[in-house]
Amino acid sequence: MESFLVSISTVAIAEMGDRTQLLSLMLAAHFRKPWPILAGVLCATLANHAVAGIVGVRLGRFLTPTLLDAIVGVSMIAMALWALRPDVLEADAARVGRTNAVVATTIAFFIAEIGDKTQIATVALAAGYSNLWAVVAGTTTGMLLANIPVVFLGKAFSERLPLKAIHYVASALFLLLGGIFIFRALHHTS
């Protein structure tokens, strides 16, 4: 349960102001069909985070608990610094034809999520926790929780969010998680 809850909160907060959230906003404005867009976000996130989780679990199996906790801790601290840098959506990623909203969202969201901080966080969380499916379910739920309001409330909602403060909260959460994992790594050695 801990891995699920940590995964939800980490990704939901980290996703605020992220390029994939901006992509959701654009797709909502373009298609004006919230349910198909959310279905595409769900499909893309499940696929992307399942792959990221599997990579994380496999990496976790080859490392000692001390080294694994240290790597996850350092990764989370790096994510804390990355979270302070606001994302922008590139113009090429924004171009979507008027095809099926689910297919367009799935493809665009999957591609945008590659190498994104939430995908990397999923790798790290899956490496640090033994329950792959709890991590993937948590990160996917966190992604949906962050994107549902954007898809339904659109631009008016996004203009009212204190994105700078949200980035600081996300950074602090990653920093806290990094500290916990580093503490666990140091505890393994003593």
Side-chain angles (χ1 to χ4, degrees), residues 72-85:
V72 172
V74 169
S75 297
M76 289 293 165
I77 290 171
M79 298 301 293
L81 297 173
W82 191 357
L84 293 174
R85 189 183 131 256

Side-chain angles (χ1 to χ4, degrees), residues 13-187:
I13 293 171
E15 182 64 10
M16 296 297 175
D18 191 71
R19 69 177 173 221
T20 48
Q21 191 179 45
L22 298 173
L23 178 61
S24 291
L25 175 63
M26 262 200 22
L27 291 166
H30 181 75
F31 288 110
R32 300 186 193 285
K33 296 178 180 180
W35 292 109
I37 291 167
L38 289 174
V41 169
L42 174 64
C43 292
T45 304
L46 272 174
N48 192 292
H49 288 197
V51 170
I54 290 168
V55 167
V57 166
R58 298 214 185 238
L59 285 174
R61 287 184 185 150
F62 293 108
L63 304 171
T64 65
T66 301
L67 185 57
L68 177 61
D69 282 343
I71 289 171
V72 172
V74 169
S75 297
M76 289 293 165
I77 290 171
M79 298 301 293
L81 297 173
W82 191 357
L84 293 174
R85 189 183 131 256
D87 280 339
V88 293
L89 187 63
E90 297 162 10
D92 290 343
R95 293 187 192 144
V96 201
R98 289 240 177 235
T99 59
N100 182 307
V102 174
V103 172
T105 301
T106 301
I107 292 168
F109 211 84
F110 184 87
I111 291 169
E113 187 64 13
I114 294 172
D116 195 60
K117 64 182 160 250
T118 51
Q119 183 191 42
I120 294 168
T122 302
V123 171
L125 289 165
Y129 289 103
S130 61
N131 192 335
L132 168 68
W133 298 114
V135 169
V136 172
T139 59
T140 301
T141 302
M143 184 71 77
L144 287 171
L145 288 173
N147 283 285
I148 286 171
V150 170
V151 170
F152 280 105
L153 302 175
K155 191 172 175 107
F157 178 76
S158 69
E159 289 174 351
R160 296 176 193 256
L161 282 175
L163 289 180
K164 191 171 187 175
I166 290 170
H167 283 279
Y168 285 129
V169 169
S171 179
L173 177 63
F174 280 125
L175 192 60
L176 175 68
L177 288 171
I180 290 169
F181 278 96
I182 288 173
F183 177 78
R184 282 178 28 178
L186 294 173
H187 182 67

